[in-house]
Amino acid sequence: MSVDRVTRWLAEADRVTVLCGAGISTDSGIPDFRGPNGVWTRNPAAQRMSTLQDYVADPEVRRQAWRNRRDHPAWSAQPNAAHRALVDLERSGRLVAIVTQNIDELQQQAGSSADLVVEVHGTMRAVQCLSCGDRTPMPDVLARVDAGEDDPPCLRCGGVLKSATISFGQALVPAVLAAALAAAQDCRLFLAVGSSLSVQPAAGLTEVAHRYGARVVIINAEPTPYDGLADAVLREPIGIVLPRLVHGALNATG
Ligand code: NAD
């Protein structure tokens, strides 16, 4: 399937929803989870930090998780050409939403409007208490970690703190899921970018968009379970192909 054909579809579509995964941020130096150099591909045990049951039950998992947050490449990462292309798509007035599974906030840093970015898996830049729900900025908690608290408890209620991200075994925020569903249902073109499409319910938005009549385009280096229903699958580097698609479509429509 040629890039030119998808560019034409993008030029024709007045309502576009984008579903992003970790693959859009690898060019910014943040490894994905399941790609060839993914965090979990290289160290399957790291999944325990993202599993609620292990996190709550095992202080050593939490200690490792805080070190991991402190040393995360997102703190020094910069948005890349693909994030910026989506900002240009928004400026053209055809973007319904960017539903992102990413927790790095690079899309907002690139200049996307916060109300168009639906963070289905939350953000690593905030911390939430699992008992009382109190929310604090991540840098405040990391300062406590640096000062020697290797498993800092909630200052309000003493409960277990965790990054404000969705772990395995943890439900999505209903209003956020509803916004993501609405965006999948209300578009003419659905672009799934840089996701292995293996985490539900986010991946299933691809099928929802297809069922509601959108053209579905998947841009990902590796096969996904949804390739069969897609109208086009582009296996090219996101940082090259996404800007080419967006700018080609915008040039075509003036
Ligand atoms: P994933 O790791 O399961 O899949 C990423 C996919 O992107 C892989 O199939 C890989 O082949 C592809 N890819 C990577 N770089 C690419 C490139 N430059 N061009 C083309 N394809 C490329 O990621 P996922 O589907 O987003 O699911 C992982 C979960 O982990 C998400 O829920 C997310 O919350 C979290 N996560 C987030 C970040 C982040 O915020 N940047 C990073 C890692 C994981």
Side-chain angles (χ1 to χ4, degrees):
M1 181 61 62
S2 81
V3 173
D4 291 346
R5 188 145 167 218
V6 177
T7 304
R8 270 203 308 282
W9 292 349
L10 186 55
E12 284 164 22
D14 55 349
R15 300 187 64 72
V16 180
T17 290
V18 184
L19 171 66
C20 290
I24 196 172
S25 293
T26 52
D27 280 354
S28 297
I30 303 177
D32 60 19
F33 277 173
R34 300 181 187 80
N37 290 313
V39 175
W40 293 347
T41 311
R42 286 182 293 143
N43 177 17
Q47 271 198 61
R48 295 188 74 215
M49 286 185 285
S50 302
T51 304
L52 187 65
Q53 208 185 356
D54 293 324
Y55 188 91
V56 172
D58 188 345
E60 186 46 41
V61 170
R62 294 200 291 277
R63 285 195 277 272
Q64 200 188 337
W66 290 118
R67 287 196 297 272
N68 185 272
R69 288 297 177 221
R70 186 191 57 200
D71 302 338
H72 201 284
W75 299 114
S76 55
Q78 297 298 318
N80 64 55
H83 296 109
R84 289 193 293 274
L86 295 184
V87 178
D88 294 336
L89 186 64
E90 176 184 338
R91 291 206 184 104
S92 77
R94 59 187 62 211
L95 183 69
V96 175
I98 298 170
V99 178
T100 186
Q101 299 169 84
N102 295 346
I103 56 170
D104 55 30
E105 295 194 23
L106 287 186
Q107 194 57 57
Q108 296 92 317
Q109 272 184 26
S112 290
S113 303
D115 57 346
L116 290 187
V117 181
V118 181
E119 292 177 310
V120 278
H121 293 165
T123 174
M124 58 168 279
R125 294 179 192 257
V127 170
Q128 198 154 12
C129 174
L130 292 175
S131 298
C132 73
D134 191 41
R135 217 171 149 100
T136 40
M138 176 64 87
D140 292 1
V141 179
L142 291 182
R144 291 172 62 195
V145 174
D146 280 338
E149 287 184 80
D150 56 3
D151 178 20
C154 175
L155 290 175
R156 215 166 77 170
C157 77
V160 170
L161 292 180
K162 189 176 84 62
S163 64
T165 53
I166 304 293
S167 302
F168 290 111
Q170 198 174 10
L172 269 63
V173 177
V176 175
L177 179 58
L181 258 178
Q185 291 169 351
D186 178 30
C187 64
R188 307 294 287 273
L189 183 70
F190 184 88
L191 280 180
V193 181
S195 175
S196 61
L197 297 178
S198 53
V199 179
Q200 297 296 350
L205 296 171
T206 311
E207 203 270 328
V208 172
H210 172 71
R211 202 159 11 98
Y212 275 74
R215 270 186 178 136
V216 171
V217 175
I218 294 175
I219 306 174
N220 202 60
E222 294 174 294
T224 83
Y226 294 88
D227 289 359
L229 69 70
D231 296 280
V233 178
L234 301 175
R235 289 213 200 291
E236 286 162 67
I238 294 162
I240 294 170
V241 79
L242 191 59
R244 199 173 139 199
L245 284 175
V246 169
H247 298 140
L250 298 189
N251 287 339
T253 51

